[in-house]
Amino acid sequence: MSAKSTISKEIFAPLDERMLGAVQVKRRTKKKIPFLATGGQGEYLTYICLSVTNKKPTQASITKVKQFEGSTSFVRRSQWMLEQLRQVNGIDPNRDSAEFDLLFENAFDQWVASTASEKCTFFQILHHTCQRYLTDRKPEFINCQSKIMGGNSILHSAADSVSSAVQKASQALNERGERLGRAEEKTEDLKNSAQQFAETAHKLAMKHKC
């Protein structure tokens, strides 16, 4: 089982929460921590996780989860409600970068993701979750590549494509209708001409008999 699957199962499932995404990170600037909760200094892995509650009304949160060296389990650390997130900084909008900052009401962290692609995926999920669950104050996404907002761009692009296809189909149907209408008019004219010809021929035939 992958680390993220284990985190979802051990940390969030017992609280009836669903993990939407996670990114493994390291600090860009090291904090001086005199001791750890485990009783001493030690190496550890850090994950920033995004989750939502299964119960309504849905609440979303960002949680810092750690795994200490020599342990197979994960530990929940700091947690913020999604509405406390004020800014998401992608650092460089012009290139793939693993660096990013998260600014909360009462905290500010500078991170480096394990890979730029993992950061990008997490940002896409985070942006979509903010749009879906936050109605009042949404965090500001700055210095982010356009593909990070790709979820909405793809949806808009798809919607535009469908709209364009519908317009083209409607135009084609209108043109076809116009052609059919003209054909019907011509058919009616031919029918009237034939009827007039038949009536004229009948009159001439009757006159000839007389």
Side-chain angles (χ1 to χ4, degrees), residues 23-191:
V23 56
Q24 184 181 339
V25 297
K26 289 183 179 180
R27 290 188 182 278
R28 293 211 309 277
T29 54
K30 294 200 179 232
K31 273 188 178 180
K32 291 184 179 180
I33 304 177
F35 64 90
L36 297 174
T38 54
Q41 289 282 5
E43 295 295 325
Y44 55 84
L45 300 177
T46 303
Y47 296 84
I48 302 298
C49 308
L50 178 64
S51 64
V52 293
T53 58
N54 290 320
K55 292 182 179 179
K56 306 293 184 181
T58 303
Q59 293 185 322
S61 59
I62 295 176
T63 306
K64 189 188 301 180
V65 174
K66 292 187 177 183
Q67 182 185 36
F68 292 95
E69 186 178 22
S71 175
T72 58
S73 61
F74 294 86
V75 181
R76 181 191 294 258
R77 288 309 195 200
S78 307
Q79 184 177 47
W80 300 268
M81 301 308 296
L82 190 60
E83 52 263 30
Q84 293 179 287
L85 181 62
R86 292 290 171 258
Q87 187 183 86
V88 179
N89 189 343
I91 306 300
D92 192 337
N94 299 315
R95 66 180 179 87
D96 290 334
S97 169
E99 300 180 349
F100 67 96
D101 296 342
L102 295 180
L103 174 64
F104 297 92
E105 286 181 350
N106 58 353
F108 174 68
D109 283 320
Q110 297 177 309
W111 300 108
V112 180
S114 58
T115 65
S117 61
E118 188 178 7
K119 164 200 161 182
C120 181
T121 300
F122 181 76
F123 269 34
Q124 288 175 335
I125 297 171
L126 179 59
H127 183 265
H128 174 74
T129 304
C130 290
Q131 299 304 311
R132 180 175 181 182
Y133 294 109
L134 297 182
T135 55
D136 297 328
R137 185 175 179 179
K138 295 180 175 63
E140 180 185 21
F141 281 74
I142 64 172
N143 299 322
C144 294
Q145 291 178 291
S146 58
K147 65 181 178 181
I148 286 176
M149 313 301 178
N152 286 340
S153 298
I154 291 171
L155 289 176
H156 289 320
S157 177
D160 291 342
S161 297
V162 171
S163 177
S164 177
V166 169
Q167 290 179 355
K168 289 180 180 178
S170 178
Q171 183 179 357
L173 286 173
N174 289 336
E175 291 176 353
R176 183 180 179 185
E178 290 176 359
R179 289 196 298 270
L180 288 173
R182 289 194 294 269
E184 288 177 355
E185 289 177 0
K186 289 181 179 180
T187 301
E188 189 65 25
D189 290 342
L190 290 172
K191 182 179 178 182

